Amino acid sequence: MKGYIKREDDFQKRRKHLANLTDEELKARFWELLEKIVDPLLELARTHTTPSIERSVLLRMGFSSLEAKPLVEGAIDRGLMGKGVGHIVYRISKEKNIPLRQAGLEMIEGKHWDDAVRIFKRGNE
């Protein structure tokens, strides 16, 4: 096979630091390394969103694409996008003690946005 490079087998050399670990210690090491890999990804997901992602969340909450668009735009206009539009609708639903869908539809009509700003701008997430 042209261009094939044979890799030297250095497995025994690379595993020396693991050779004396028990199965339980190896499992613990695995999960420790996994957390180091996944934690930054979770943080990135928490701190970065897009209108497309937020619309997708709202679709899964039962809103149509025509309903999701003004909700996302309302959150953007008020600087609340990073809080998660689905989260905003959920919090309004809980605060007003109304069904989730009703909260979203009323927000589309322009209601409850002052409450959303109050809830999220004061850091009461």
Side-chain angles (χ1 to χ4, degrees), residues 32 38 42 55-56 58 64 72 81 86 95 113 115-116 121:
E32 174 189 327
V38 173
L42 291 175
R55 284 191 302 270
S56 177
L58 291 166
S64 72
V72 170
M81 181 74 157
E95 181 158 303
W113 284 106
D115 295 320
K121 291 290 184 172

Side-chain angles (χ1 to χ4, degrees), residues 34-80:
L34 184 68
E35 283 180 17
K36 285 183 179 180
I37 293 169
V38 173
D39 284 348
L41 298 174
L42 291 175
E43 183 60 25
L44 188 63
R46 255 192 299 277
T47 59
H48 293 74
T49 190
T50 65
S52 177
I53 290 169
E54 295 304 318
R55 284 191 302 270
S56 177
V57 169
L58 291 166
L59 291 174
R60 280 148 187 81
M61 292 173 70
F63 294 97
S64 72
S65 58
L66 294 175
E67 295 165 338
K69 188 174 188 270
L71 288 169
V72 170
E73 289 171 350
I76 291 170
D77 292 346
R78 291 162 181 87
L80 297 175

